[in-house]
Structures are given as structure tokens and as C-alpha cells.
Amino acid sequence: MTDSILEAVQISRTFTAQEDFTGKIVRSVLRQPKPRSLQALCDVSLTLKTGEVLGVVGESGCGKSTLGRILAGILPASAGHLRFCGQPIFDMDSITRAQTFLKIQMIFQDPMSSLNPRKRVADLISEAPTVHGLISPHEQASFVNDALIRVGLDPNSHSRFPHQFSGGQRQRINIARALAVNPEILICDESVAALDVSIQAQILNVFMQLKAEGNLSFIFISHDLGVVEHLCDRVAILYLGRIVEIGTVETLFKAPKHPYTQALLQEIPRIGTGKRRFNPIRGEIPSPLSPPSGCAFHPRCPHATTQCVRQMPGLREVGQEHLAACHLVHGTVSHLPTELSK
Ligand code: SF4
């Protein structure tokens, strides 16, 4: 018996621009090079324990949404394995795999574009469980009623269309729709990022309530470390398609080891911390089309050495349930300047 519900083992994903016949002809006539591949994810391994909330954090373009889509079965991985309750998903027959991915549901960032504008709320919520034989047609009305109450919506709104709701209400509909197929894992991809702050708090409360019910495990993808600290048990920090640090919220927020995590944490606004200079991370996240050599963070890292330029650091244990990928951190010993380690 394993206490991990979902395991990603060395997941990689490469995108290559698709060329049509005309494109190939034009390229060969103009003697242009072949389209380059983009490595969105490289050797990402992580474990989601039963009942926990695992945050995945990083800047735009770091591969976190790609990872979420692979974990939810929306995108295929180029390499690696996924295990659900210890069973390898990619080795399952197509029916078992589809049934397994039904237990992993995803909630997207934009609540409007993820709902079919031509369908009424009742149909949006009841469609998947009806198709999958989880409810019969005569149970639909009471099922939708319960689903709307569960996410704090008025059950009398079942015949309305998505455009007749506010952004926060639409996200509640998305949550109700995801919950309708009795998932065991919810993958929330920037699910509160498009909402006003007060509405964000309401949706976060819905997630907290679902977490407290104890039947679900979450992967919470976000660029907002404040929200992650509030909601998650563990956090994985992603940089240019690789995990650079992973640990419990407590250890990672109190004693981050990787310079990128330290820089991200310095950017969180805190109330009552007095005047502190805002130190944004210098430079931009590099293009995954031409990633830097060695440690991908070296062009932005204030501590980069020649070893960092030449050699990619692997993830190493730096504490209990705490891994980081940095040449200057060995076990619990950090050779980084102390003012940045706070
Ligand atoms: Fe910075 Fe080097 Fe550590 Fe990368 S390996 S984070 S460049 S010190």
C-alpha cells in the first residue's frame, strides 16, 4: 500500500513546430534550418501524497501548465512515467487509462473560456457524469442541485448560461463540474489568477473547504507564493522546465536553499515588515529554445561560478523532505551568502 496517489517519474515534454507540405518545400528552397524543438519539461519527478496539496510555482513559461496538463492526461509526455496509486498509467489499456484520468480533474485559469457558452449550467455539470454512467438521466436534477449547493451557488441558477454569472461564480461552476465525476485529484492551474482579490479569497475558501473534507488531493499551480503558502502542504519550484527545489511549505518558506526560491520569496509583499528594498530577480527567464548551459539559472544568479556555467546541478537532499539543485548547497550546508539565505 502506497501513500502516494500520483507519482510523476522523469517526465519530459518537447514541442516541435509542425510543418505542412508547403512549409517543407519553402524551407528547402530557401535552405532554412529545420524547426527547432522546445524542451518545455525535463526529467520532472514528483509525488503527490494522498490528501495533500502540492503547490507548483514558477514564472510564466517555466512549464508548470504543461506539467499540469500531462498529469491530467490532456497532453502526452514525450518521456517518463505516471503512476496512479502505484499503477503505471501509460501501461494501462485505453479504457482503464481513461477511467483513471477521470479521477484526475483540472480547473483552468479562465473560467469563461473553459465553459461552453451555449450550454446551461445544469447540462455543463451533469454531462460528464451522465456520459460516464455515474448518474442516470432522472437523477440529473437533484445531482445538479447538490453540486451547486456544494460550491456555494444558488441551485435555482441551474438553467442559466455561463455569461449570466460573475467570474467567481463561473469558477465555482468549473469546480462543480470537475467534482461531478468524483475525482480523487484536482489540478488547479492558476485557478484564482484571473479573479479579483476578494473573489480569489472566496474561491480559495472553497478549496480549503474541499481540502478539509479530506477526500481530495490537489496540485495547485500558481505564480503567487502568498496563495501557495496559505493553501499548500508542500511546494515544488520550477525553473525552465526543471524542479530546482521541493519541500514542505514550512521549510521552504523559512529556509529556502536555492537562490531562485530565495529571490522569489523576497518579492512577496508582507504587511508590517517595515521598509525593505524591493529586489526583483534580474533579467528575464531564458528562452527554452536556447536554454543556458549548466545551471539554467546562472545568467540571473548573483552567485554563479564557472562550475555553474559548465555543469547542471542535480536535485540533492538538503534537509528532511527537502531537495534543491544548486552547486553551492551540499546537504544542510549552504555556501551562499547568509543575507540571502534568510
Ligand atoms: Fe546559482 Fe550556481 Fe546555484 Fe545555479 S548552481 S543557482 S548558478 S549558485
Side-chain angles (χ1 to χ4, degrees), residues 258-259 295 297-298 301 303-304 308 313 326-328:
H258 196 281
C295 172
F297 189 57
H298 86 254
C301 181
H303 320 294
C308 305
C326 174
H327 289 307
L328 298 188

Side-chain angles (χ1 to χ4, degrees), residues 238-258:
L238 216 57
Y239 188 78
L240 215 64
R242 290 176 188 270
I243 291 180
V244 294
E245 187 160 8
I246 185 165
T248 61
V249 164
E250 265 186 13
T251 50
L252 202 131
F253 278 74
K254 268 194 200 142
K257 298 288 187 187
H258 196 281

Side-chain angles (χ1 to χ4, degrees), residues 125-127 129-140 143-144 180:
I125 293 175
S126 63
E127 186 178 38
T130 308
V131 167
H132 291 284
L134 302 173
I135 56 169
S136 58
H138 73 268
E139 289 172 316
Q140 279 180 2
F143 181 84
V144 171

